Amino acid sequence: MCVFMIKIDENLTVVSPAGFKASGIHCGLKKSLLKKDLALIYSETLANSAGVYTKNKVKGAPLTVTKKHLTNKKSQAIIINSGNANTCTGDDGLAKANKMTSLCAKALNIKNDDVLVASTGVIGVPLNIDAIKDGIPSLVTNLSCNNSSAKDACSAIMTTDTVMKQAGVEIEIQGKKITIAAMAKGSGMIHPNMATMLSFITTDLSISPILLKEALKTSVNLSYNRISVDGDSSTNDMVLIMANSLANNETILEKNDDFNLFLEALTLLNIYLAKKIAKDGEGATKLIECTVKNAPSIENAEVLAKSVINSNLVKAAIFGSDANWGRILCALGYADIEFDPEKVDVRFESSAGEIVVCKNGLPTNFDESKAKKILLQDEIKILIDLKLGSCKATSWGCDLTYDYVKINGDYRS
Amino acid sequence: MCVFMIKIDENLTVVSPAGFKASGIHCGLKKSLLKKDLALIYSETLANSAGVYTKNKVKGAPLTVTKKHLTNKKSQAIIINSGNANTCTGDDGLAKANKMTSLCAKALNIKNDDVLVASTGVIGVPLNIDAIKDGIPSLVTNLSCNNSSAKDACSAIMTTDTVMKQAGVEIEIQGKKITIAAMAKGSGMIHPNMATMLSFITTDLSISPILLKEALKTSVNLSYNRISVDGDSSTNDMVLIMANSLANNETILEKNDDFNLFLEALTLLNIYLAKKIAKDGEGATKLIECTVKNAPSIENAEVLAKSVINSNLVKAAIFGSDANWGRILCALGYADIEFDPEKVDVRFESSAGEIVVCKNGLPTNFDESKAKKILLQDEIKILIDLKLGSCKATSWGCDLTYDYVKINGDYRS
C-alpha cells in the first residue's frame, strides 16, 4: 500500500525509471537547425507495452505500424519525428514508417517489431526518410539516461508547443520504488478521443501486459480524452506506455491494491500532462477547467463538460474575461443530454476568488468587476451544478485567441 | 406549372406579398439611438402559419410563447426585438414575452394568440419591457407596405450582422402570381439545427397549414440547418412563415405540382438567405461551401460536409488562403461516418479557377501559387468526392478570423 502521498515531480523524465535512455536530435525535417525533430526512447530490456490511438478514420501510417508491432504487447524502443505527420501519404508513407522502425532496430541491434513509431506535423506531404536515415546513427549514439537527453527527446516531439511537457511520479509497491514518467506534446487539433497529441510513458514497474493496457485506457479516458483545444481530433494521436519490470516488484497480475495504486499514479500523471497540453493549446492564454457535478451519470457529466470546453463562444468570452455565462448554458443545452436548465448553478473560480453567476438557471445579481478580476487569471474553473444526481466529470481546454487564428491561418509556411 | 425560371429577387421584401405590412423602430433595448431594435410584421388577414425552432435544451421564453400561439396554426403578426434574447430569465422572462404579444395584440386590435414573438441578443439579462411597451404605439403607427418599412423591420432584428438579409421570389400557380419573401438575421452561434438565427417568411399563397409546415421543415433542413458559423446552436432560433391566402389561388391541399413548385421556390429563398447568414458570420471574410458527393446516403454526405464546415482548423486555413487539405481529410475522419479515406478526392474552386489538391487520399503535385490565388477569393467551394455512392449534400460556413475572436471576446460590452 501507498505510504506517501502521490505527488507530481516535474524533475522526473522518461529516463527516470530504471533502465530507460533517451535522445533527441535535429535531422532536417524542420527547417530551423535549432529545432530538434527526431526523438528516441529506449529500454535496456524488452518492456511490456500498450497503446491507445486516435479514433479518426484517417490514420497516419505510423499508427498502422505501431499497432502491428504491438501485437505481441512488447517493445524496446520508440522513435518519434516531428515536422511531418506521415499521413495521407499512401503506400509510400507506410513503407517509410516501416523503414523508420527497421533502420532504428538495426542501429539498436534489436528486432524490428520491438520498435514503435510516431509522427506529428503536416498532413499529406511525403516524409523525408533520407533525413531520418542519416540522423539515426547519432540519435542512437546520443542515447543516455541523463535528464538532458530526455529533454532533447521531449523538445524533438514539439510542433507548435511553446513549453515542454514532461513529469513523473514515484510510488512504492511491495517496498520497491516504482517510477512512472512521461513526455507529451500538443497543441493544435486537440479534442477528446486523442488529438494531435502524443504521450510516451515509461515505468520500471512489473505488470502483466493486459493490466498495463487496461490501466492505460482507464487513465487516458480520464485525462487526455478530457481535453480539447479546438474540437479537431487528429489523425496521429497516440499514447504509448513501456513497463520494463526493472523495479523488480512481484509482477502485478490482478486488480489488487498495487494495481489501484499504479492506476492512481498513472492517472494523476496523465491528468497533469493533459492539463499542460490544454493550457499550451495553440494561441491559448488561459487554462479552462470545467467540472459538471451532481449529474445522473459520469457519461452525462463528461459530455456536458466537454460541450462547454468546446464552445468557441465560451472560449472567446474567457479570452476576453467576460462573465458571459449565458453561453455556458447555451453550450450545455445543445449537448443533447437531458437536464433541467432551471436547476443549473454556474460558478467561476480562480486564484482571485469565486463567484456564482447563475442560480437555478437565472442570473444572480453578481458583481461584474469582481467577476472580471476572477476571469483575468490564467487558470479559470467553471463549476456547474446540475442538481440531478451524484456523478461528476472534469474536462480541460483553453481560450480562443487571435493567435490561434494566426497560427492556423498559415500553419504550413 | 412553372412557366418561368425561379429567380431570387433582392428587391422583394416581407411586404411584397399581398396584404403584408412591416415596421421597425428604436425603442431603447440597444444603447445607440441610431440602431433599431423592435420590428413588426403584420398581415391584413389571419394567415396560416408554421414555425421551426432550435433544438437547444435551453430555450428562450419567446419560443415557448410562439409555440403556444401557433397551436391553432394561425397568426396575424410577429413582434421581434433585438438587444436581448429574453432567455435564462425564468418566470419573469415568460411573463414579459407574453406581455409583448398582449400589448401588441391590443394595439393592433387582434387576438393575443394571433401574435408571435421572437427575441435575439444577450442571454440572462432581464428584458426592459417598459421600453417595448412605450415603443409599441409608434411601431404600429409606422406599419406600411412600403419597402422602406420592411427595411426598418429587417434592420431592427440585426445584432452583430453587418448586412441586412432580405429577398424574395415570385412564382405562378394557377395563373396567379405568388410572392414569397423573407427577412433573416445571423450571425454568431450559427450551427446546424437552428442557431441564433431568425428568419421570417411571408407569402400570399393559399395553402393548408399542414402542408405549409411540411414545406417549411423540408426547406429549413436544406438551408438554415446546413450552415454553421461557430458550432454553437443558439437558444432562440426560429423560422416562422405566414401564408395569408391573398393571392387567391385555389388552396393547395395535396402534394401536387403546385406544392412542389412552392417548395422549390421556398427552398431556393431559404438557401439564398442561409448563405447570406454564413457569409456574414461574425468576423467572417469568406463564404465556404462544402459539397460531399458520391456518398452512400444524403445523411452521410450531410454529416461529412458539416464536419468540414465546422472545423476550426479548416476555417482558419481558408482565412489564411492556405490549401491545407490534410485538415479536410482529418475533419472527414472524425465525423464518425464510414468512408474510405483512400478513395477521397478534394478540389478547391472559386471565381479564380479550380484545383484538385487530393486524389484517392493522396496529395496531387498541385501548384501552390495557383491554389493560393483560388483561395484568396471571398467565396470558396470545397468539393469532396467519396466515390462510394450517388448521394450528395452541401453545407455552408465561413472562415475563422481575428475578428471572430474580437467580437466574441467581449460581446456584452
Side-chain angles (χ1 to χ4, degrees):
Chain A
M1 270 304 291
C2 179
V3 290
F4 49 94
M5 271 285 291
I6 308 175
K7 228 178 66 193
I8 292 293
D9 184 341
E10 296 187 14
N11 296 314
L12 296 177
T13 70
V14 289
V15 300
S16 300
F20 283 97
K21 292 178 177 174
S23 63
I25 63 160
H26 170 83
C27 77
L29 299 174
K30 287 180 184 164
K31 283 174 198 163
S32 165
L33 290 170
L34 299 172
K35 289 187 174 171
K36 297 190 169 55
D37 51 21
L38 194 61
L40 182 61
I41 300 173
Y42 171 74
S43 168
E44 285 172 10
T45 60
L46 203 56
N48 287 333
S49 304
V52 177
Y53 312 91
T54 184
K55 287 181 183 153
N56 197 307
K57 300 254 174 339
V58 179
K59 290 188 204 320
L63 270 82
T64 308
V65 174
T66 291
K67 273 185 169 174
K68 196 167 151 240
H69 288 196
L70 270 182
T71 320
N72 66 352
K73 302 183 177 61
K74 303 217 178 279
S75 76
Q76 196 165 353
I78 309 172
I79 183 167
I80 312 121
N81 75 274
S82 57
N84 188 316
N86 195 13
T87 298
C88 298
T89 45
D91 293 341
D92 174 69
L94 199 61
K96 285 173 178 172
N98 271 312
K99 191 86 184 165
M100 274 177 79
T101 61
S102 63
L103 288 167
C104 191
K106 204 173 164 192
L108 290 167
N109 198 23
I110 60 177
K111 275 172 35 195
N112 179 25
D113 71 358
D114 290 334
V115 182
L116 311 180
V117 57
S119 302
T120 178
V122 68
I123 300 175
V125 173
L127 182 66
N128 180 355
I129 188 71
D130 291 335
I132 293 173
K133 185 180 175 182
D134 295 346
I136 283 178
S138 60
L139 190 69
V140 170
T141 310
N142 286 358
L143 275 177
S144 96
C145 55
N146 296 331
N147 273 336
S148 68
S149 296
K151 196 177 146 186
D152 289 345
C154 191
S155 74
I157 65 170
M158 290 164 72
T159 52
T160 50
D161 303 71
T162 66
V163 294
M164 277 197 279
K165 295 157 189 95
Q166 53 182 1
V169 285
E170 288 176 352
I171 50 174
E172 200 180 300
I173 284 180
Q174 305 152 16
K176 311 279 186 191
K177 187 185 83 175
I178 306 289
T179 308
I180 316 168
M183 65 183 202
K185 59 93 44 196
S187 67
M189 278 200 193
I190 304 294
H191 189 58
N193 299 320
M194 300 287 99
T196 306
M197 210 218 66
L198 298 175
S199 182
F200 306 100
I201 308 159
T202 58
T203 180
D204 40 24
L205 180 74
S206 183
I207 183 170
S208 79
I210 287 165
L211 288 178
L212 184 68
K213 172 97 183 189
E214 178 158 345
L216 183 67
K217 274 183 93 165
T218 304
S219 76
V220 165
N221 280 334
L222 294 168
S223 55
Y224 306 113
N225 281 348
R226 288 274 181 90
I227 60 174
S228 180
V229 167
D230 51 19
D232 282 42
S233 289
S234 151
T235 53
N236 281 49
D237 308 322
M238 59 170 105
V239 179
L240 298 176
I241 187 166
M242 299 170 84
N244 69 6
S245 310
L246 291 181
N248 289 318
N249 62 299
E250 207 177 302
T251 306
I252 299 176
L253 296 170
E254 57 189 52
K255 290 192 191 173
N256 52 21
D257 286 346
D258 292 343
F259 175 81
N260 291 334
L261 176 59
F262 170 64
L263 176 59
E264 198 182 327
L266 183 64
T267 303
L268 190 77
L269 176 61
N270 284 336
I271 287 178
Y272 174 85
L273 289 168
K275 285 170 75 173
K276 274 234 168 195
I277 289 169
K279 190 170 183 179
D280 194 29
E282 284 172 343
T285 66
K286 298 179 184 182
L287 173 70
I288 309 175
E289 176 176 305
C290 179
T291 300
V292 172
K293 70 172 186 178
N294 296 324
S297 72
I298 293 179
E299 292 68 31
N300 278 13
E302 188 177 344
V303 171
L304 290 170
K306 282 180 181 173
S307 186
V308 171
I309 283 292
N310 277 326
S311 159
N312 274 353
L313 288 168
V314 171
K315 289 152 67 82
I318 299 290
F319 171 59
S321 302
D322 181 16
N324 197 331
W325 59 270
R327 292 183 180 166
I328 294 170
L329 259 77
C330 178
L332 295 172
Y334 60 69
D336 207 19
I337 293 287
E338 283 306 323
F339 70 98
D340 182 354
E342 293 179 8
K343 279 189 176 176
V344 175
D345 293 352
V346 179
R347 187 157 56 91
F348 289 117
E349 199 183 302
S350 77
S351 57
E354 58 173 89
I355 194 162
V356 177
V357 289
C358 166
K359 190 99 193 156
N360 297 319
L362 294 176
T364 61
N365 203 358
F366 66 90
D367 176 350
E368 287 274 358
S369 68
K370 186 182 167 194
K372 190 102 193 165
K373 227 162 98 186
I374 290 167
L375 294 179
L376 277 168
Q377 308 308 308
D378 69 348
E379 299 202 358
I380 308 297
K381 287 182 181 168
I382 302 172
L383 299 143
I384 296 160
D385 188 346
L386 296 184
K387 303 177 198 160
L388 284 182
S390 57
C391 298
K392 77 170 181 173
T394 299
S395 176
W396 297 274
C398 60
D399 54 345
L400 176 64
T401 69
Y402 300 125
D403 280 348
Y404 176 86
V405 178
K406 193 171 169 186
I407 292 166
N408 286 300
D410 199 3
Y411 174 70
R412 298 183 310 155
S413 57
Chain B
M1 271 303 292
C2 179
V3 289
F4 50 93
M5 272 284 292
I6 308 174
K7 228 177 66 192
I8 293 292
D9 184 340
E10 296 186 14
N11 297 314
L12 295 177
T13 71
V14 288
V15 299
S16 300
F20 283 98
K21 291 178 178 175
S23 64
I25 63 161
H26 169 83
C27 76
L29 299 173
K30 287 180 184 163
K31 284 174 198 162
S32 164
L33 291 169
L34 298 173
K35 289 186 173 172
K36 296 189 169 56
D37 51 22
L38 194 61
L40 183 61
I41 300 173
Y42 173 74
S43 167
E44 285 171 11
T45 60
L46 203 56
N48 286 334
S49 304
V52 178
Y53 312 91
T54 184
K55 286 181 184 153
N56 197 307
K57 300 253 173 339
V58 179
K59 290 188 203 320
L63 270 81
T64 309
V65 174
T66 291
K67 273 185 171 174
K68 196 168 151 239
H69 288 196
L70 269 182
T71 321
N72 66 352
K73 302 183 177 63
K74 302 216 180 278
S75 76
Q76 196 164 355
I78 310 173
I79 182 167
I80 312 122
N81 76 275
S82 57
N84 189 316
N86 195 13
T87 299
C88 298
T89 45
D91 292 342
D92 174 69
L94 200 61
K96 284 172 177 171
N98 271 311
K99 191 86 184 165
M100 274 178 78
T101 60
S102 63
L103 288 167
C104 190
K106 204 172 163 192
L108 289 167
N109 199 24
I110 60 177
K111 276 172 34 196
N112 179 25
D113 71 358
D114 290 335
V115 182
L116 311 180
V117 56
S119 301
T120 177
V122 68
I123 300 176
V125 172
L127 182 67
N128 180 356
I129 188 72
D130 291 335
I132 294 173
K133 185 180 175 182
D134 294 347
I136 283 178
S138 61
L139 190 69
V140 170
T141 310
N142 286 358
L143 275 177
S144 95
C145 55
N146 296 331
N147 272 337
S148 69
S149 296
K151 196 177 147 186
D152 288 345
C154 190
S155 74
I157 65 170
M158 290 164 74
T159 53
T160 50
D161 304 69
T162 66
V163 293
M164 278 197 278
K165 295 156 188 95
Q166 53 182 359
V169 285
E170 287 176 351
I171 50 174
E172 199 180 301
I173 285 180
Q174 304 153 15
K176 311 278 185 191
K177 186 184 83 175
I178 307 288
T179 307
I180 316 169
M183 65 183 203
K185 59 94 43 198
S187 69
M189 279 200 193
I190 304 294
H191 190 59
N193 298 321
M194 299 288 97
T196 307
M197 210 219 66
L198 298 175
S199 182
F200 306 101
I201 308 158
T202 57
T203 180
D204 42 23
L205 180 74
S206 184
I207 182 171
S208 79
I210 288 166
L211 289 179
L212 183 68
K213 172 99 183 187
E214 178 159 343
L216 182 67
K217 275 182 92 165
T218 304
S219 76
V220 164
N221 280 335
L222 294 168
S223 56
Y224 306 113
N225 281 348
R226 290 274 181 90
I227 60 173
S228 179
V229 166
D230 51 20
D232 282 43
S233 289
S234 151
T235 53
N236 282 49
D237 308 322
M238 59 169 105
V239 178
L240 299 175
I241 187 166
M242 298 170 84
N244 69 6
S245 309
L246 292 182
N248 290 318
N249 62 298
E250 206 177 303
T251 306
I252 298 177
L253 297 171
E254 55 188 53
K255 290 193 192 173
N256 51 20
D257 286 347
D258 292 342
F259 175 82
N260 291 334
L261 175 59
F262 170 63
L263 175 59
E264 197 182 328
L266 182 64
T267 302
L268 190 77
L269 176 61
N270 285 335
I271 287 178
Y272 174 85
L273 289 168
K275 285 171 74 173
K276 274 232 167 195
I277 289 169
K279 190 169 183 179
D280 193 30
E282 285 172 342
T285 66
K286 297 178 185 182
L287 173 71
I288 309 175
E289 176 176 305
C290 179
T291 300
V292 172
K293 70 172 187 179
N294 296 324
S297 72
I298 292 178
E299 292 68 31
N300 279 12
E302 188 176 343
V303 171
L304 290 170
K306 282 180 180 173
S307 186
V308 171
I309 282 292
N310 278 326
S311 160
N312 275 351
L313 287 168
V314 171
K315 288 153 67 83
I318 298 290
F319 171 59
S321 303
D322 181 15
N324 198 330
W325 59 270
R327 293 183 179 167
I328 294 170
L329 258 77
C330 178
L332 295 173
Y334 60 68
D336 207 20
I337 292 287
E338 284 306 323
F339 70 98
D340 182 354
E342 293 179 9
K343 278 189 177 175
V344 174
D345 293 353
V346 179
R347 187 157 55 92
F348 290 117
E349 198 183 304
S350 77
S351 57
E354 59 174 89
I355 193 161
V356 177
V357 289
C358 166
K359 190 96 194 159
N360 298 319
L362 294 175
T364 60
N365 203 358
F366 66 90
D367 176 351
E368 287 274 359
S369 67
K370 185 181 166 194
K372 191 102 193 165
K373 228 162 97 186
I374 290 168
L375 294 179
L376 277 168
Q377 308 309 308
D378 69 349
E379 299 202 357
I380 307 298
K381 288 183 182 170
I382 302 172
L383 300 143
I384 296 159
D385 188 347
L386 297 185
K387 302 176 198 161
L388 283 181
S390 56
C391 298
K392 77 170 182 173
T394 298
S395 175
W396 298 273
C398 61
D399 53 345
L400 176 64
T401 70
Y402 301 124
D403 281 348
Y404 176 86
V405 178
K406 194 171 169 187
I407 292 166
N408 286 299
D410 199 4
Y411 174 69
R412 298 185 310 155
S413 57

